[in-house]
Amino acid sequence: MTVPFVDLKSQYLGIKDQIDAAIEDVIMNTMFIGGKPVADFKEKFEKVYGTKHCIPVANGTDAIYIVLRMLGIGEGDEVITAANSWISTSETISQTGAKPVFVDVDEYYTIDVDQIESKITDKTKAIIPVHLTGQMADVEKVGELCSKYGLHMIEDTAQAHFSELKGKRAGTWGIAATFSFYPGKNLGAYGDAGCIITEDAALAEKCKMFANHGALKKHHHKMEGINSRLDGMQAAVLNVKLDHILDWTESRRQNAAYYTSQFEKAGISSVELPKLRPDSKHSYHLYIIKTEKRDELQAHLTEKGIGTAIHYPTPLPFMEAYSYLGHTEEEFPVCRKNQDEILSLPMYPELTKEQMDYVVETIDQFFNEA
Ligand SMILES: *Cc1c(COP(=O)(O)O)cnc(C)c1O
């Protein structure tokens, strides 16, 4: 048996007729940029997600950059974010001219809210909690800090479509949230795609304008912007997938619960299972286990046909790109330790019980032989 780390093809085969028809429709009607599929996506995402304004953009990285810029963040400002994320979260902060300020993570792989306050200065303008793996950051506490110090909260929701904290969805807690629809994300296009959501009509309009060369009406450029449009083909794919996303999210939750129950049954003491933040709903973009024998286990799983990955091999402050900030490993002890121990197992809605059994058995066997 083989269990690939991601399996985008089996999902496609399940909805092939709808996807093929939707793509053909875009081509036949030459709606490559803008037009009905994109307008439909905007409306559908607002409805399914439960938000006032969705601004479709080219990818999840641009989404963050656009929000930061339209909130007026730039040179001389600081923005606080988690030390463990994909580089989009911090590179966009730098691209505005602001400085990324990193905070170590908690036991849920999300920003450690107890360490944020000590990083706030009179230059701080915003905090970007990242709902890494699909687990909600403690946005309630982040929100309290933002109110206290007059900061913006922007949620990086690239990995957490439909996650919830206290019954309220990821991305609906701050001034705006950003999503990625990169193919491997929980809601994935067939290329790059992303969006911004916000309840703030004025901010929504600014973001929309900036993402389209500073124009809301063709040839009426109120400012300079960038070219960050969602294309028609990606919108058409996403429109089909939006009909299934709630079921798929539920399947991810069931699969995670199954993994956890099988691991607990096997009683593998050397493996630490993912923890769920109280009062929250995880969307399991990733199912991460921890073990001191990570590298040996990963090699063993590869040999047995099981795909795994590491999210991420190098925490952001330790990257060469941020060497100029002069951070030390001692400043981020949780990230530093996780770096050597975390391992992401195959996780997607289409995963079968047999495949998950095989993953757990193979891991169990590894530790029994070790
Ligand atoms: C994927 C991802 C992004 C960026 O999304 P793209 O669509 O690839 O630009 C940003 N933040 C996080 C946490 C991500 O996982």
Side-chain angles (χ1 to χ4, degrees):
M1 187 182 304
T2 61
V3 191
F5 180 66
V6 284
D7 181 4
L8 300 178
K9 194 167 167 187
S10 73
Q11 185 182 78
Y12 168 61
L13 294 176
I15 51 173
K16 187 174 181 306
D17 292 348
Q18 296 154 270
I19 292 277
D20 292 358
I23 290 177
E24 191 182 336
D25 193 48
V26 172
I27 302 171
M28 290 304 283
N29 292 293
T30 63
M31 298 177 295
F32 301 114
I33 300 287
K36 192 170 184 309
V38 178
D40 286 351
F41 169 76
K42 172 188 154 54
E43 214 171 274
K44 204 163 175 176
F45 195 81
E46 285 167 354
K47 193 156 162 253
V48 176
Y49 209 82
T51 181
K52 267 211 187 105
H53 306 282
C54 163
I55 303 97
V57 296
N59 57 69
T61 307
D62 282 0
I64 305 170
Y65 176 70
I66 292 165
V67 170
L68 288 169
R69 283 289 309 271
M70 293 305 100
L71 287 172
I73 289 162
E75 200 70 45
D77 297 333
E78 293 178 358
V79 177
I80 294 173
T81 194
N84 189 35
S85 183
W86 180 244
I87 196 166
S88 302
T89 320
S90 51
E91 69 185 350
T92 48
I93 296 171
S94 306
Q95 282 157 7
T96 68
K99 178 185 164 190
V101 175
F102 297 112
V103 173
D104 206 358
V105 298
D106 56 19
E107 60 191 311
Y108 306 105
Y109 305 113
T110 56
I111 192 164
D112 183 350
V113 290
D114 294 332
Q115 294 188 45
I116 293 178
E117 203 157 10
S118 67
K119 306 268 177 125
I120 295 175
T121 71
D122 53 9
K123 292 178 177 166
T124 310
K125 290 285 164 1
I127 304 175
I128 309 182
V130 182
H131 305 304
L132 205 78
T133 78
Q135 172 105 268
M136 294 277 303
D138 188 349
V139 279
E140 195 170 39
K141 287 257 176 62
V142 176
E144 283 166 18
L145 288 169
C146 285
S147 303
K148 185 170 165 190
Y149 292 95
L151 312 175
H152 296 297
M153 170 160 57
I154 304 150
E155 299 173 73
D156 182 342
T157 318
Q159 300 191 4
H161 318 70
F162 302 96
S163 298
E164 290 176 15
L165 180 68
K166 303 198 168 167
K168 193 169 154 59
R169 279 197 178 141
T172 64
W173 290 76
I175 179 81
T178 61
F179 290 82
S180 167
F181 307 120
Y182 177 82
K185 296 284 158 76
N186 287 19
L187 176 62
Y190 287 171
D192 279 311
C195 82
I196 297 160
I197 64 169
T198 180
E199 299 288 296
D200 184 320
L203 179 62
E205 181 148 303
K206 277 191 203 165
C207 291
K208 186 180 169 194
M209 198 189 302
F210 186 69
N212 188 30
H213 302 291
L216 286 172
K217 214 172 121 198
K218 202 164 193 174
H219 304 307
H220 289 73
H221 304 275
K222 292 197 181 178
M223 59 177 172
E224 287 183 333
I226 60 171
N227 177 0
S228 185
R229 297 177 295 227
L230 176 67
D231 72 68
M233 214 127 25
Q234 302 312 331
V237 168
L238 292 169
N239 287 337
V240 171
K241 289 196 174 192
L242 271 174
D243 291 335
H244 304 275
I245 189 63
L246 293 172
D247 289 342
W248 288 336
T249 304
E250 194 46 43
S251 297
R252 284 177 183 270
R253 288 179 183 139
Q254 283 168 12
N255 289 348
Y258 188 74
Y259 261 140
T260 299
S261 72
Q262 296 310 100
F263 274 120
E264 281 169 354
K265 245 186 234 168
I268 312 168
S269 58
S270 328
V271 167
E272 198 181 305
L273 301 175
K275 296 190 178 98
L276 179 63
R277 185 183 297 287
D279 250 337
S280 77
K281 274 186 163 180
H282 203 305
S283 58
Y284 292 100
H285 175 57
L286 300 169
Y287 186 95
I288 298 184
I289 61 167
K290 280 205 280 186
T291 169
E292 285 174 12
K293 292 217 170 84
R294 197 269 314 277
D295 292 342
E296 298 95 310
L297 176 63
Q298 185 174 34
H300 179 76
L301 293 174
T302 304
E303 197 180 297
K304 299 287 178 184
I306 297 168
T308 57
I310 298 167
H311 296 89
Y312 293 95
T314 309
L316 295 169
F318 309 154
M319 293 261 186
E320 202 179 326
Y322 297 109
S323 58
Y324 74 94
L325 292 173
H327 286 304
T328 62
E329 296 192 336
E330 291 71 33
E331 289 175 78
F332 306 94
V334 179
C335 278
R336 179 64 197 88
K337 191 164 187 297
N338 286 346
Q339 180 180 2
D340 295 334
E341 299 185 355
I342 50 177
L343 187 65
S344 305
L345 301 182
M347 171 50 71
Y348 32 93
E350 300 76 19
L351 211 52
T352 64
K353 282 203 162 107
E354 291 69 31
Q355 286 177 310
M356 289 186 278
D357 285 340
Y358 178 62
V359 173
V360 176
E361 279 159 22
T362 309
I363 293 174
D364 190 30
Q365 176 201 22
F366 170 81
F367 284 105
N368 285 336
E369 283 169 6

